[in-house]
Every structure is written in structure tokens, then in C-alpha cells.
């Protein structure tokens, strides 16, 4: 069954079963869609499996996380090639006042706030606040400077704050999701 002809053993199976839920949730935070999230998590685990002999001695989870972020970047590149321009913009979805104590409502609200971000901003927010990485670790994972991470995170959080009180968004009375992204995401 091994990708290289040899099974990695139970240590990879244990790593995969422990890492799957968090990788899948991070994939959802990156994409906003369950199926795309599962695809990203599967790609990350497949690439980690292929490199298991090398990465199990270091930080296998960091390797899987980088694989997932890179797969998401590739997914956006492929999708951008297929996008078609249109003169008519679609109507904006009607948003009702959500009960912020409901986990489903929290997830929907978080997806709505993350949707206003560019691909780079979303990657920075997910790595920085969901994975709780330092600015230098995010910079290393994305191959950018620490200053770029700081400015991108600042812009992203500002966009999310604006989206939080923008007409059509959930009520400003609701719990401040932007400051609580780290807690809601887990």
C-alpha cells in the first residue's frame, strides 16, 4: 500500500489520525468549504506519507501544514485560470441576526468574515491565529518577510472588523469575532 513501496508503520498511522481533525479544520478555514478542506488535508497527509522517513525525525506536523498551505496556493492558481468575467454581479446573500452562542452560527460567521480576505491575508490569519504561529514562523512558512506578515495580518484584521459592522453583515451586537478568531477557530 505504501507510496514508495514500503509502509511507514503505525507511527504514521498514529500521526495521521491525531493530525486529521486539525488539518481538516485548518483546510476549512483556508477554503470555507468542507470538501476542499478534506482535499487539502488529504494532500497534506499524502505528501507527509511520501516524505515520512525524512520528516518523522523533525516536525512532521509543520511539514504537513506547509504542504496544505502550498496545495491551497496551487488550488487558487488553477482556479484563477478558469475564472470568467461577468458584467452582472450576483446578489448579496441575506444575512439574519445570528445566535452567537450556537457553534453552527459561529462557524458560518467566521466563514463570512474570512471570505472578505484575499488569499494571502487568509493564509496569514489562519497560520498566525489558528495555528498560533509566531510572525517569524508564518514568514518562514510563506517565504515572506516578517514585516509582510505584520502588515498583511493588520490589513486582514481591519477588513474583518469592517465586514463585522458592514450593512448586510451580522449584527454589531454579536460577540466580536475578529478578536476571538483564535478561540472560535478551535
Amino acid at each position: 500500500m505504501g507510496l514508495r513501496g514500503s509502509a511507514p508503520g503505525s507511527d504514521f498511522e498514529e500521526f495521521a489520525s491525531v493530525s486529521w481533525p486539525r488539518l481538516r479544520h485548518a483546510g476549512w478555514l483556508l477554503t470555507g468549504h468542507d470538501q476542499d478542506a478534506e482535499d487539502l488535508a488529504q494532500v497534506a497527509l499524502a505528501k507527509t506519507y511520501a516524505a515520512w522517513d525524512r520528516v518523522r525525525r523533525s516536525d512532521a506536523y509543520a511539514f504537513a501544514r506547509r504542504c496544505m498551505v502550498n496545495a491551497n496556493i496551487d488550488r487558487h492558481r488553477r482556479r484563477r485560470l478558469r475564472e470568467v468575467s461577468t458584467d452582472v454581479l450576483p446578489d448579496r446573500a441575506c444575512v439574519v441576526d445570528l445566535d452567537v452562542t450556537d457553534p453552527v452560527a459561529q462557524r458560518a460567521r467566521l466563514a463570512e468574515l474570512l471570505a472578505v480576505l484575499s488569499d494571502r491575508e487568509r493564509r496569514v490569519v489562519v497560520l498566525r491565529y489558528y495555528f498560533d504561529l509566531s510572525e517569524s514562523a508564518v514568514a518562514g512558512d510563506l517565504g515572506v518577510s516578517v514585516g509582510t506578515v505584520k502588515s498583511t495580518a493588520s490589513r486582514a484584521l481591519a477588513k474583518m472588523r469592517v465586514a463585522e459592522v458592514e450593512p448586510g453583515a451580522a449584527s454589531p451586537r454579536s460577540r466580536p469575532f475578529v478578536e476571538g478568531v483564535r478561540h472560535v477557530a478551535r
Side-chain angles (χ1 to χ4, degrees):
M1 158 167 167
L3 295 175
R4 288 184 168 170
S6 64
S10 65
D11 54 341
F12 177 79
E13 291 172 13
E14 181 180 336
F15 167 78
S17 66
V18 169
S19 301
W20 174 257
R22 191 150 191 220
L23 288 172
R24 188 189 167 288
H25 188 72
W28 179 84
L29 289 171
L30 287 168
T31 65
H33 301 344
D34 287 330
Q35 188 61 47
D36 291 337
E38 288 184 6
D39 290 347
L40 287 178
Q42 287 175 359
V43 165
L45 288 176
K47 289 184 179 191
T48 303
Y49 180 95
W52 187 247
D53 290 337
R54 181 173 42 93
V55 300
R56 74 173 165 203
R57 290 182 290 279
S58 60
D59 190 357
Y61 189 72
F63 181 83
R65 184 184 65 236
R66 280 190 303 275
C67 289
M68 183 170 30
V69 170
N70 289 338
N72 188 49
I73 292 169
D74 293 343
R75 185 179 70 86
H76 282 291
R77 286 179 184 152
R78 284 189 304 271
R79 188 178 71 198
R80 222 177 276 142
L81 295 174
R82 292 181 277 165
E83 287 183 5
V84 178
S85 299
T86 180
D87 291 336
V88 179
L89 294 176
D91 289 337
R92 197 168 179 177
C94 177
V95 179
V96 296
D97 197 12
L98 299 173
D99 175 12
V100 294
T101 61
D102 177 19
V104 174
Q106 287 179 347
R107 185 174 171 163
R109 184 68 182 120
L110 181 59
E112 184 180 318
L113 290 172
L114 288 171
V116 302
L117 304 179
S118 70
D119 297 336
R120 176 185 265 188
E121 290 167 340
R122 194 170 183 147
R123 285 190 299 269
V124 167
V125 167
V126 170
L127 289 173
R128 181 78 175 99
Y129 301 107
Y130 176 71
F131 283 112
D132 202 21
L133 297 180
S134 67
E135 291 163 339
S136 60
V138 173
D141 275 9
L142 296 179
V144 298
S145 70
V146 173
T148 299
V149 171
K150 289 180 180 180
S151 63
T152 303
S154 177
R155 270 192 313 276
L157 293 177
K159 278 184 179 179
M160 292 172 77
R161 284 184 194 102
V162 167
E164 192 168 26
V165 295
E166 185 177 89
S171 166
R173 297 186 315 257
S174 64
R175 178 174 164 234
F177 280 85
V178 176
E179 279 73 23
V181 166
R182 182 180 319 168
H183 305 292
V184 174
R186 292 186 183 180

